Structure formats: C-alpha cells, structure tokens
Amino acid sequence: MSPPRAPFQGPVCPTPYGDTDRVQLGHGSGGKMSAALLRDHFLPRFENPVLSELGDAAVVGVDRGELAISTDTFVVSPLEFPGGNIGALAVHGTVNDLAMMGAEPLFLSAGFILEEGLPFEVLDRVVGAMSSAAVEAGVTVVTGDTKVVERGSADGMFINTTGIGLVSPAFRPGPGKAVPGDVVIASGPIGCHGIAIMAVREGLEFEVEIESDTAALHPLVSGLRESVGEAVHVLRDPTRGGVASALNEVALASRVGIEMKEGSLVIPGPVLAACEMLGLDPLYVANEGVLVALVSPDRAGDALASLRSHPLGEEAAIIGHAVEGHPGMVVMRTGIGGNRVVDMLPGDQLPRIC
Amino acid sequence: MSPPRAPFQGPVCPTPYGDTDRVQLGHGSGGKMSAALLRDHFLPRFENPVLSELGDAAVVGVDRGELAISTDTFVVSPLEFPGGNIGALAVHGTVNDLAMMGAEPLFLSAGFILEEGLPFEVLDRVVGAMSSAAVEAGVTVVTGDTKVVERGSADGMFINTTGIGLVSPAFRPGPGKAVPGDVVIASGPIGCHGIAIMAVREGLEFEVEIESDTAALHPLVSGLRESVGEAVHVLRDPTRGGVASALNEVALASRVGIEMKEGSLVIPGPVLAACEMLGLDPLYVANEGVLVALVSPDRAGDALASLRSHPLGEEAAIIGHAVEGHPGMVVMRTGIGGNRVVDMLPGDQLPRIC
C-alpha cells in the first residue's frame, strides 16, 4: 500500500505537459495525452487497417483450423544492445515461440509498460525496431496497450507480445514427441545473444563486437516443413537457460535420454573467450536466433541441408541424438570417452536476458 | 546500463534457494526454480489440457470466422483492494474488452512480471483470483509466461492478459457506429472501482466500504445480443478516464454529438462523498464492471429491460443520447437548462487504477 498522498487539487495544466522529450504519467491516463502518445509514437509505425480501428479489441479473419497462441514478456536490460533492442526481441521471441509449434505466425498484440521519464527517442527506436521486425517476419501488430508507471516502479520499459499463428495438422512438432534415434540439430552458432547483453552490462570490449543473434526463425521452420515435414519431431528455440535447458526439457517431456557430442556445437571464438572471462558455460547462454530440431535419423541429412540453404542456418550442425538410456537426462559424451551430465541450472546464470 | 557486477562464480546452491516465502530472481531463469514456480504456484490453479502441454505456444481449435484479439497490461496499485485484486482485474479487463466488440471470450494468455521479494502468499491470492475469475467468465488461460526482475525494477507485480474471442458477423458493435438519435445507457452505478482504489491509497475510511465493481460483462452483452441484436451500435466499458472519456471517444469515432442528462447517472452516495472529499469528478473515475451502450431509440426500452434482468445491470439507466449537433463533443445538459462541455482530461486524474 502506498503512503497517503495529497488529494487531486483541481484541473491539470493542459499544455505543454512539462518535459516533452520524456514519457510522463499522464501518457498512461487514457486521456488526451494517451491519445497523443498513440498518435505520435505508435500508430505511424504499426499502421494497418485492423490496428487503426482502435477498438477495444482487434478483429481478424481466420480459416477453420487450429491456432497457436503464445505470450512472452520482455524485461531485457539494457533496452538496447549490439544487434538489436527490446522491440526487435519482443517480435522475434514470440514469433519464434509460435514457429517452434510448427505454426505460421500471423498476428501480434503488444502491451507496453513505460516508466515515467523514459526518453521518447529510446521509445521511438524500440517501436521502430518492432515495426521493422514485424514487417520482416510477415506478422501484423493488430492491437496494443500502454501503461505508464511512476519513476522507480519499472526499469525503462517492459513489453509483452502475444502471438497468434495458424497450425497445420500435418506439421505438429512438440517437446514431447522425440523418440530414441532422433538426431539433434542446432541451426547455428550459440551464445551470441546472452554474451552481447553481458558484454554491455559488464562494459567488456572485444576485438570483434559480439552482436545478439535476435531473428525470426519461422523461415527456417518453413524450410524444414517443406523438406522433411513430419520427420521433424521437436523444435525448440534455446532462449533463457540456453541449449542445455532446452534439451533437458525435451528429454523430460519425451522421456528419452539425449547424448550430446562434445565439440559438435558451433561456438564463435569471441563468445568462447567471453564465457571463459565471465565464468559462463555457453551451453546455458541464451540464444534468440537459433533453433534446435530433433529429426528422424533417415531425414536428418535433408533437414540439415534445408537449414543450411538459409542464411540463418548456414552453420547448422548435428550436435547429438536421442537415446533410450537415461530418460529425462542430457549427457555430454566427452572426447576422451567419458560422459558428464548436462543438468538444468536451478536458477539464474544471467537474469533479464530477454 | 547496469554497473559492472561480479561474474558468475560457479554452480548456484541448489536448495533451499534462500527465502522460500518470496519470489527470487532465479524464479525467472528458465531453470529448475522457474519449473518449480510454475508447478507450485500457477499450474494447480489454471489446470487445463491445453496449458498442461507446456509448449512454447498453446494450440486451440476454432471455427472459420472472425476472431477478436485484445491485450491489456495491469499495473494497479495497490495489488489488492476491496472487491478484488490485480488478478481478477486482469481477467475481467480483457474479457470486457472482447465483449465490447461483441465477441464471445474464449481464451486468455497471462504474462507476469514479478518483482524479486514478492511474497508468495500475495502471488497465490492473485493467481487464485485470476483462476476463479476465468472459471466464472468461462474463459480458459491457455498459455503464460513469467519474468522476475530485481527488487526496485518493478512494483510488486504487473500482469498482461491477451484475450481471444469469437465474433459473430451479425453482432458487431464498434466505437464508430453511433448515429444521431441513439440512446445512451449505462449498465450500473459508476465510480466504484476508482474510488475503492483511491480509498486504500489515501487511507480513507467510510461508514460503508466502497468495493471495486470489477466483473466480467459479457453476460450483459449476451443478453443485449439476444434481445436487441444489431440495434446495439456501440458498447464501451468506461475504465481509465471513466464515462466521460469513453463517451468522448465514441463521439469522436462516430462523428456525433452526445448529450448527457444531469442527474441521470447512478452514483452511489459513498462514491459521491469520496469524490467531493478528494476533488474528483465521478464522470472521470474508472469503472471495471459497467458498460455503456448506444442503442437505436426504438429498441432502447428492450435493451434496458435486458440489462436490468441481470444482477450486474439492475441499476441500468438511460443517461443521454447522440445528436447531430456538435459532432465529436460531449455536453451535459444541466438542470437549469444550460450546457457544459464534458471534455476528455489531458492527463491523469488517477494513475495506476488498472
């Protein structure tokens, strides 16, 4: 409960609303300042007929079928980082969650929490990046909401996106559908997103700047669907908790063991160097532009070829396979013939990474 | 940018994770603590087959047709207040936004931002209220997401809900569909939500406690659809900014004038007393269980009867009508024959009311 405050003292001074370069509490009021925020900072970037209706909800047409719905809230700190910002991430993250269910992403909602005092130039860059990411990913932002909280009650801005996609009954990968023998493929080099964030936070400089890999992955998924279809049993994007956590979830959900081959993962040199410096294991570092697929062994070659034919998947590689032994457990087979358990972390390696 | 912090020092102590009564950063990690949070605090309350899949997205079936999508983020302070809490509000708010488009609410997503240190007993009450509100409203929470931010980076908790509802082509009210002559009906007494929140914040005590009116309004809408159908031109729930802002939006979107009749709005005595004490105009105070309908004059009586047949609408009343004059403007016709303009407020009367 907040301490008592002075009661409302009468009409609010209508203009110039104080500091015009920054978000103010009144921008979340549902009044004229809210309307101006929408008109000046959101609508020009997301213009489409559905959103422009400005009703309490957006109305979209769908064919009879199954829809995938995914929600994700983004609290990444800092808001802007090499390779992207919270706005691009908020589009990619939700589009990718839909893609991992085999769905074709169609629509996004966007819910903003803005901290009083957020510079409009930051907001505009973030919303601009969201808009570009949505156009590039072929999804439409059809409805949105903005709240403003007092200085100190949030950290700059948080964004929720909820996505709706169309599911095809013939292509329904799921975390519980892996079977022993499945080949585990990673679509690209790992660790870039988490290390890009950490480098900014820690003020680290490298010879080559590490950029977040944030990207929409559904073009890779479309390729897999067209080339090998139902031979794709599982798709996951290894974000929070990295490849290790994603594979543990698959092992648990599918009741299979997973064996990874040491040295098979592509880890960029600068990521490896940064991980050593920071005491991080790249297996647990978040990615925002990588998928992990578990595919029937007879179609693994085709799946790999399909991934490699796309710029995002050029460095796709087989990183392991599913086994009958040790169900629910991921092990790394080391070069000298030993095994080590790749467990889930209990808590945070890197907080507020997405 | 955060200041540099100590690098990760090695494995995190697995149990007891420190203070077990409160949310910790690790609960947002995507690791074991996240899994425990989900298992212990969310899934038992929202159990349904779609959510239990725990995929990256939920998959639901729909008939061919049109869907309404609405998103809303809830930042109300305090989290708990007479008549409800942020969880109930997060269900009702989004369900009502869908209902105002004439849609039948079907599915909700829920995205949580938790502040490190939030007591689990508060979280559990909030999630419990969400669950009850969803059951009562007949909607299913099909997917969710939880993020945890450091102490001081949020204010207890914020919740985004995004709702999906089915739209019938024969019943499509919208803010731009009012025509001159339409009768304006309010479904119940106004001002209760905003004043309930303010009373807690200001530490006010009244003889009769003012409770938030937070409620799902789609049963009222179903009644209107069945009784008068397309004669309902506009439906709005006057939340932030109150009845005054909602009617201004309608006047602008429909390019009609709106004339309100002084004394026609039902305002509970304690609300009126509190507004006088706080210097607030009840026309601008938020409601969470009231709708405003603009209805063809020939069906207004039936619409009123339909609303009054439901407990939520017992005190429904005609509060004005749409006119050709002064398009985009709402005026109050006073008892002594004068008019005063009921403008939108520029900014906040009451911040963080929902």
Side-chain angles (χ1 to χ4, degrees), chain B residues 207-229:
Chain B
E207 276 182 41
V208 185
E209 189 180 56
I210 301 171
E211 293 200 346
S212 167
D213 59 348
T214 185
L217 293 166
H218 60 291
L220 289 184
V221 176
S222 300
L224 287 174
R225 186 179 57 222
E226 283 158 28
S227 61
V228 303

Side-chain angles (χ1 to χ4, degrees), chain B residues 250-307:
Chain B
V250 172
L252 281 170
S254 298
R255 295 185 195 85
V256 298
I258 293 182
E259 258 187 36
M260 300 179 67
K261 213 171 71 188
E262 194 164 53
S264 63
L265 274 159
V266 181
I267 307 172
V271 168
L272 212 49
C275 280
E276 275 167 20
M277 188 184 304
L278 295 166
L280 298 171
D281 182 338
L283 271 179
Y284 294 91
V285 175
N287 311 281
E288 295 289 344
V290 174
L291 66 77
V292 170
L294 279 82
V295 183
S296 287
D298 55 322
R299 305 304 307 277
D302 294 331
L304 199 60
S306 160
L307 289 170

Side-chain angles (χ1 to χ4, degrees), chain A residues 7-290:
Chain A
F8 179 71
Q9 292 295 350
V12 174
C13 175
T15 50
Y17 309 137
D19 180 350
T20 55
D21 295 337
R22 292 171 183 274
V23 173
Q24 295 166 63
L25 271 180
H27 286 114
S29 64
K32 287 184 182 176
M33 286 176 72
S34 290
L37 175 70
L38 206 61
R39 181 193 66 219
D40 297 340
H41 299 277
F42 288 98
L43 292 183
R45 293 184 176 80
F46 291 126
E47 197 156 15
N48 66 66
V50 181
L51 187 64
S52 302
E53 292 273 322
L54 293 184
D56 276 323
V59 175
V60 299
V62 290
D63 289 329
R64 177 187 296 270
E66 286 187 312
L67 293 182
I69 308 169
S70 183
T71 192
D72 212 341
T73 305
F74 297 84
V75 299
V76 64
S77 168
L79 297 174
E80 302 182 280
F81 44 82
N85 64 31
I86 189 173
L89 202 61
V91 171
H92 295 150
T94 293
V95 160
N96 290 348
D97 281 345
L98 293 172
M100 295 308 114
M101 303 293 288
E104 180 196 346
L106 298 176
F107 307 112
L108 286 184
S109 68
F112 296 84
I113 298 173
L114 308 180
E115 183 188 10
E116 178 187 19
L118 177 76
F120 276 121
E121 60 171 302
V122 175
L123 179 64
D124 291 345
R125 282 198 299 271
V126 166
V127 175
M130 277 190 91
S131 165
S132 305
V135 168
E136 208 183 323
V139 293
T140 311
V141 178
V142 289
T143 190
D145 175 63
T146 307
K147 293 293 187 317
V148 180
V149 298
E150 310 89 322
R151 210 179 284 263
S153 290
D155 190 8
M157 65 190 295
F158 303 138
I159 304 177
N160 174 282
T161 50
T162 301
I164 296 182
L166 205 57
V167 176
S168 135
F171 187 69
R172 286 285 302 272
K177 295 189 174 174
V179 293
D182 280 354
V183 172
V184 183
I185 303 175
S187 68
I190 65 164
C192 295
H193 178 72
I195 295 302
I197 300 286
M198 284 305 280
V200 179
R201 285 201 208 151
E202 308 284 338
L204 301 180
E205 295 204 4
F206 303 100
E207 277 181 42
V208 185
E209 188 181 56
I210 301 171
E211 290 199 346
S212 167
D213 58 349
T214 186
L217 293 167
H218 61 290
L220 289 184
V221 175
S222 299
L224 287 174
R225 185 180 56 220
E226 281 157 28
S227 62
V228 303
E230 288 182 313
V232 179
H233 297 158
V234 179
L235 291 173
R236 296 293 280 190
D237 59 332
T239 56
R240 274 190 290 186
V243 170
S245 300
L247 291 182
N248 267 283
E249 283 168 24
V250 172
L252 281 169
S254 297
R255 296 186 192 83
V256 297
I258 292 181
E259 258 186 37
M260 300 178 69
K261 214 171 71 186
E262 194 163 55
S264 63
L265 274 160
V266 181
I267 307 172
V271 169
L272 213 50
C275 281
E276 274 166 20
M277 188 185 302
L278 297 167
L280 299 172
D281 182 339
L283 271 178
Y284 295 91
V285 174
N287 311 279
E288 295 290 344
V290 174

